[in-house]
């Protein structure tokens, strides 16, 4: 695996929020693009609400992940390790969104923690590889 793999994973992670909000919009009442934020507040569909929450959570998870990939690269962490952790992160984040929308709260938390562990591992590896 190469660093290109990790960068593609960063791209995918950047696009995930848009997938989840598309599901939120498709799961609610007829979408009103003139006032999207108030439209979402009015939604009674649990699926729409959970998909919207998955979108927000994806935004929150993106910055630390992208920073961890860049810091690991700059610190000289093996590209194969960065790529493997990036693939794991993206797979877990896709699963996170799916179980979030499905309303599986315990599984959602477990998957979130595993994805967060990938980010932490990248950051720890970056810190360990920095030359004094």
């Amino acid at each position: 695996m190469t660093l290109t793999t990790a960068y593609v994973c960063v791209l995918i992670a950047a696009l995930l929020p848009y997938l989840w909000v598309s599901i939120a919009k498709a799961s609610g009442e007829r979408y009103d693009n003139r006032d999207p934020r108030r439209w979402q507040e009015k939604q009674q569909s649990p699926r729409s609400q959970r998909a919207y929450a998955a979108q927000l959570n994806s935004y929150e998870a993106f910055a630390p992940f992208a920073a961890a990939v860049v810091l690991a690269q700059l610190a000289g962490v093996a590209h194969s390790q960065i790529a493997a952790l990036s693939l794991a992160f993206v797979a877990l984040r896709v699963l996170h969104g799916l179980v979030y929308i499905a309303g599986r709260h315990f599984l959602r938390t477990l998957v979130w923690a595993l994805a967060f562990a990938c980010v932490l591992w990248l950051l720890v590896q970056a810190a360990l590889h920095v030359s004094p």
Side-chain angles (χ1 to χ4, degrees), residues 22-31 39-40 43-45 47-49:
S22 296
I23 293 170
K25 291 174 181 178
S27 301
E29 297 172 15
R30 184 173 174 182
Y31 181 66
W39 175 87
Q40 184 60 52
Q43 296 312 297
Q44 298 298 314
S45 164
R47 180 180 166 95
S48 179
Q49 293 169 351

PDB file of all heavy atoms in Angstrom, residues 22-31 39-40 43-45 47-49:
ATOM      1  N   SER A  22     -27.348  13.336   2.251  1.00  0.00           N
ATOM      2  CA  SER A  22     -28.227  12.935   1.144  1.00  0.00           C
ATOM      3  C   SER A  22     -29.272  11.943   1.635  1.00  0.00           C
ATOM      4  O   SER A  22     -30.443  12.013   1.253  1.00  0.00           O
ATOM      5  CB  SER A  22     -27.414  12.317   0.012  1.00  0.00           C
ATOM      6  OG  SER A  22     -26.548  13.271  -0.534  1.00  0.00           O
ATOM      7  N   ILE A  23     -28.841  11.032   2.492  1.00  0.00           N
ATOM      8  CA  ILE A  23     -29.782  10.067   3.068  1.00  0.00           C
ATOM      9  C   ILE A  23     -30.769  10.782   3.981  1.00  0.00           C
ATOM     10  O   ILE A  23     -31.965  10.470   3.980  1.00  0.00           O
ATOM     11  CB  ILE A  23     -29.019   8.943   3.792  1.00  0.00           C
ATOM     12  CG1 ILE A  23     -28.235   8.114   2.771  1.00  0.00           C
ATOM     13  CG2 ILE A  23     -29.966   8.071   4.614  1.00  0.00           C
ATOM     14  CD1 ILE A  23     -27.264   7.129   3.370  1.00  0.00           C
ATOM     15  N   ALA A  24     -30.288  11.752   4.749  1.00  0.00           N
ATOM     16  CA  ALA A  24     -31.184  12.515   5.628  1.00  0.00           C
ATOM     17  C   ALA A  24     -32.259  13.227   4.809  1.00  0.00           C
ATOM     18  O   ALA A  24     -33.446  13.193   5.159  1.00  0.00           O
ATOM     19  CB  ALA A  24     -30.387  13.532   6.450  1.00  0.00           C
ATOM     20  N   LYS A  25     -31.851  13.834   3.714  1.00  0.00           N
ATOM     21  CA  LYS A  25     -32.808  14.562   2.883  1.00  0.00           C
ATOM     22  C   LYS A  25     -33.792  13.629   2.205  1.00  0.00           C
ATOM     23  O   LYS A  25     -34.973  13.946   2.077  1.00  0.00           O
ATOM     24  CB  LYS A  25     -32.063  15.397   1.841  1.00  0.00           C
ATOM     25  CG  LYS A  25     -31.305  16.554   2.457  1.00  0.00           C
ATOM     26  CD  LYS A  25     -30.466  17.281   1.426  1.00  0.00           C
ATOM     27  CE  LYS A  25     -29.694  18.416   2.067  1.00  0.00           C
ATOM     28  NZ  LYS A  25     -28.830  19.113   1.114  1.00  0.00           N
ATOM     29  N   ALA A  26     -33.318  12.466   1.793  1.00  0.00           N
ATOM     30  CA  ALA A  26     -34.192  11.504   1.123  1.00  0.00           C
ATOM     31  C   ALA A  26     -35.138  10.810   2.106  1.00  0.00           C
ATOM     32  O   ALA A  26     -36.173  10.289   1.696  1.00  0.00           O
ATOM     33  CB  ALA A  26     -33.359  10.456   0.394  1.00  0.00           C
ATOM     34  N   SER A  27     -34.794  10.829   3.379  1.00  0.00           N
ATOM     35  CA  SER A  27     -35.587  10.113   4.387  1.00  0.00           C
ATOM     36  C   SER A  27     -36.633  10.988   5.067  1.00  0.00           C
ATOM     37  O   SER A  27     -37.445  10.491   5.837  1.00  0.00           O
ATOM     38  CB  SER A  27     -34.663   9.533   5.462  1.00  0.00           C
ATOM     39  OG  SER A  27     -33.733   8.650   4.894  1.00  0.00           O
ATOM     40  N   GLY A  28     -36.585  12.271   4.801  1.00  0.00           N
ATOM     41  CA  GLY A  28     -37.530  13.173   5.453  1.00  0.00           C
ATOM     42  C   GLY A  28     -38.674  13.547   4.548  1.00  0.00           C
ATOM     43  O   GLY A  28     -38.875  12.965   3.479  1.00  0.00           O
ATOM     44  N   GLU A  29     -39.433  14.535   5.001  1.00  0.00           N
ATOM     45  CA  GLU A  29     -40.503  15.079   4.169  1.00  0.00           C
ATOM     46  C   GLU A  29     -39.869  15.765   2.970  1.00  0.00           C
ATOM     47  O   GLU A  29     -38.657  15.951   2.923  1.00  0.00           O
ATOM     48  CB  GLU A  29     -41.307  16.088   4.976  1.00  0.00           C
ATOM     49  CG  GLU A  29     -42.000  15.482   6.175  1.00  0.00           C
ATOM     50  CD  GLU A  29     -42.626  16.540   7.074  1.00  0.00           C
ATOM     51  OE1 GLU A  29     -42.768  17.701   6.638  1.00  0.00           O
ATOM     52  OE2 GLU A  29     -42.963  16.195   8.207  1.00  0.00           O
ATOM     53  N   ARG A  30     -40.688  16.179   2.062  1.00  0.00           N
ATOM     54  CA  ARG A  30     -40.159  16.803   0.846  1.00  0.00           C
ATOM     55  C   ARG A  30     -39.157  17.891   1.213  1.00  0.00           C
ATOM     56  O   ARG A  30     -39.443  18.811   1.969  1.00  0.00           O
ATOM     57  CB  ARG A  30     -41.291  17.393   0.022  1.00  0.00           C
ATOM     58  CG  ARG A  30     -40.758  17.947  -1.249  1.00  0.00           C
ATOM     59  CD  ARG A  30     -41.798  18.392  -2.176  1.00  0.00           C
ATOM     60  NE  ARG A  30     -41.055  19.018  -3.279  1.00  0.00           N
ATOM     61  CZ  ARG A  30     -41.596  19.576  -4.289  1.00  0.00           C
ATOM     62  NH1 ARG A  30     -42.878  19.601  -4.403  1.00  0.00           N
ATOM     63  NH2 ARG A  30     -40.862  20.126  -5.217  1.00  0.00           N
ATOM     64  N   TYR A  31     -37.960  17.784   0.642  1.00  0.00           N
ATOM     65  CA  TYR A  31     -36.853  18.667   0.971  1.00  0.00           C
ATOM     66  C   TYR A  31     -37.105  20.085   0.473  1.00  0.00           C
ATOM     67  O   TYR A  31     -37.578  20.290  -0.637  1.00  0.00           O
ATOM     68  CB  TYR A  31     -35.553  18.123   0.369  1.00  0.00           C
ATOM     69  CG  TYR A  31     -34.366  18.979   0.683  1.00  0.00           C
ATOM     70  CD1 TYR A  31     -33.909  19.103   1.990  1.00  0.00           C
ATOM     71  CD2 TYR A  31     -33.698  19.692  -0.306  1.00  0.00           C
ATOM     72  CE1 TYR A  31     -32.828  19.902   2.298  1.00  0.00           C
ATOM     73  CE2 TYR A  31     -32.620  20.480  -0.016  1.00  0.00           C
ATOM     74  CZ  TYR A  31     -32.186  20.587   1.287  1.00  0.00           C
ATOM     75  OH  TYR A  31     -31.113  21.382   1.580  1.00  0.00           O
ATOM     76  N   TRP A  39     -35.482  23.193   7.756  1.00  0.00           N
ATOM     77  CA  TRP A  39     -36.142  21.997   7.240  1.00  0.00           C
ATOM     78  C   TRP A  39     -35.725  20.793   8.069  1.00  0.00           C
ATOM     79  O   TRP A  39     -36.564  20.003   8.490  1.00  0.00           O
ATOM     80  CB  TRP A  39     -35.786  21.784   5.765  1.00  0.00           C
ATOM     81  CG  TRP A  39     -36.327  20.507   5.212  1.00  0.00           C
ATOM     82  CD1 TRP A  39     -37.566  20.323   4.674  1.00  0.00           C
ATOM     83  CD2 TRP A  39     -35.688  19.233   5.172  1.00  0.00           C
ATOM     84  NE1 TRP A  39     -37.722  19.010   4.293  1.00  0.00           N
ATOM     85  CE2 TRP A  39     -36.585  18.319   4.600  1.00  0.00           C
ATOM     86  CE3 TRP A  39     -34.443  18.772   5.576  1.00  0.00           C
ATOM     87  CZ2 TRP A  39     -36.272  16.975   4.405  1.00  0.00           C
ATOM     88  CZ3 TRP A  39     -34.124  17.434   5.392  1.00  0.00           C
ATOM     89  CH2 TRP A  39     -35.042  16.553   4.812  1.00  0.00           C
ATOM     90  N   GLN A  40     -34.419  20.651   8.321  1.00  0.00           N
ATOM     91  CA  GLN A  40     -33.934  19.498   9.078  1.00  0.00           C
ATOM     92  C   GLN A  40     -34.480  19.510  10.506  1.00  0.00           C
ATOM     93  O   GLN A  40     -34.824  18.465  11.054  1.00  0.00           O
ATOM     94  CB  GLN A  40     -32.408  19.462   9.092  1.00  0.00           C
ATOM     95  CG  GLN A  40     -31.836  18.237   9.773  1.00  0.00           C
ATOM     96  CD  GLN A  40     -32.263  16.930   9.119  1.00  0.00           C
ATOM     97  OE1 GLN A  40     -32.117  16.757   7.921  1.00  0.00           O
ATOM     98  NE2 GLN A  40     -32.802  16.016   9.893  1.00  0.00           N
ATOM     99  N   GLN A  43     -37.883  17.822  10.857  1.00  0.00           N
ATOM    100  CA  GLN A  43     -38.057  16.430  10.461  1.00  0.00           C
ATOM    101  C   GLN A  43     -38.433  15.540  11.636  1.00  0.00           C
ATOM    102  O   GLN A  43     -37.814  15.604  12.695  1.00  0.00           O
ATOM    103  CB  GLN A  43     -36.797  15.886   9.785  1.00  0.00           C
ATOM    104  CG  GLN A  43     -36.485  16.577   8.491  1.00  0.00           C
ATOM    105  CD  GLN A  43     -37.694  16.688   7.590  1.00  0.00           C
ATOM    106  OE1 GLN A  43     -38.255  15.689   7.156  1.00  0.00           O
ATOM    107  NE2 GLN A  43     -38.124  17.905   7.319  1.00  0.00           N
ATOM    108  N   GLN A  44     -39.444  14.723  11.432  1.00  0.00           N
ATOM    109  CA  GLN A  44     -39.910  13.790  12.450  1.00  0.00           C
ATOM    110  C   GLN A  44     -39.359  12.385  12.219  1.00  0.00           C
ATOM    111  O   GLN A  44     -39.381  11.561  13.123  1.00  0.00           O
ATOM    112  CB  GLN A  44     -41.447  13.747  12.451  1.00  0.00           C
ATOM    113  CG  GLN A  44     -42.085  15.081  12.778  1.00  0.00           C
ATOM    114  CD  GLN A  44     -41.717  15.549  14.178  1.00  0.00           C
ATOM    115  OE1 GLN A  44     -41.767  14.782  15.127  1.00  0.00           O
ATOM    116  NE2 GLN A  44     -41.320  16.801  14.290  1.00  0.00           N
ATOM    117  N   SER A  45     -38.853  12.135  11.049  1.00  0.00           N
ATOM    118  CA  SER A  45     -38.333  10.823  10.704  1.00  0.00           C
ATOM    119  C   SER A  45     -37.056  10.530  11.499  1.00  0.00           C
ATOM    120  O   SER A  45     -36.060  11.248  11.363  1.00  0.00           O
ATOM    121  CB  SER A  45     -38.020  10.750   9.205  1.00  0.00           C
ATOM    122  OG  SER A  45     -37.183   9.641   8.929  1.00  0.00           O
ATOM    123  N   ARG A  47     -34.947   8.244  10.975  1.00  0.00           N
ATOM    124  CA  ARG A  47     -33.885   7.948  10.006  1.00  0.00           C
ATOM    125  C   ARG A  47     -33.246   9.234   9.499  1.00  0.00           C
ATOM    126  O   ARG A  47     -32.026   9.338   9.398  1.00  0.00           O
ATOM    127  CB  ARG A  47     -34.454   7.126   8.851  1.00  0.00           C
ATOM    128  CG  ARG A  47     -33.439   6.770   7.786  1.00  0.00           C
ATOM    129  CD  ARG A  47     -34.111   5.943   6.691  1.00  0.00           C
ATOM    130  NE  ARG A  47     -33.296   5.846   5.515  1.00  0.00           N
ATOM    131  CZ  ARG A  47     -32.479   4.847   5.253  1.00  0.00           C
ATOM    132  NH1 ARG A  47     -32.378   3.850   6.098  1.00  0.00           N
ATOM    133  NH2 ARG A  47     -31.773   4.838   4.144  1.00  0.00           N
ATOM    134  N   SER A  48     -34.058  10.226   9.187  1.00  0.00           N
ATOM    135  CA  SER A  48     -33.536  11.506   8.735  1.00  0.00           C
ATOM    136  C   SER A  48     -32.712  12.168   9.837  1.00  0.00           C
ATOM    137  O   SER A  48     -31.620  12.694   9.578  1.00  0.00           O
ATOM    138  CB  SER A  48     -34.675  12.433   8.308  1.00  0.00           C
ATOM    139  OG  SER A  48     -34.172  13.689   7.900  1.00  0.00           O
ATOM    140  N   GLN A  49     -33.196  12.137  11.055  1.00  0.00           N
ATOM    141  CA  GLN A  49     -32.469  12.742  12.173  1.00  0.00           C
ATOM    142  C   GLN A  49     -31.141  12.039  12.421  1.00  0.00           C
ATOM    143  O   GLN A  49     -30.110  12.694  12.651  1.00  0.00           O
ATOM    144  CB  GLN A  49     -33.333  12.704  13.433  1.00  0.00           C
ATOM    145  CG  GLN A  49     -34.549  13.593  13.352  1.00  0.00           C
ATOM    146  CD  GLN A  49     -35.523  13.343  14.485  1.00  0.00           C
ATOM    147  OE1 GLN A  49     -35.394  12.403  15.268  1.00  0.00           O
ATOM    148  NE2 GLN A  49     -36.533  14.199  14.584  1.00  0.00           N
TER     149      GLN A  49
END
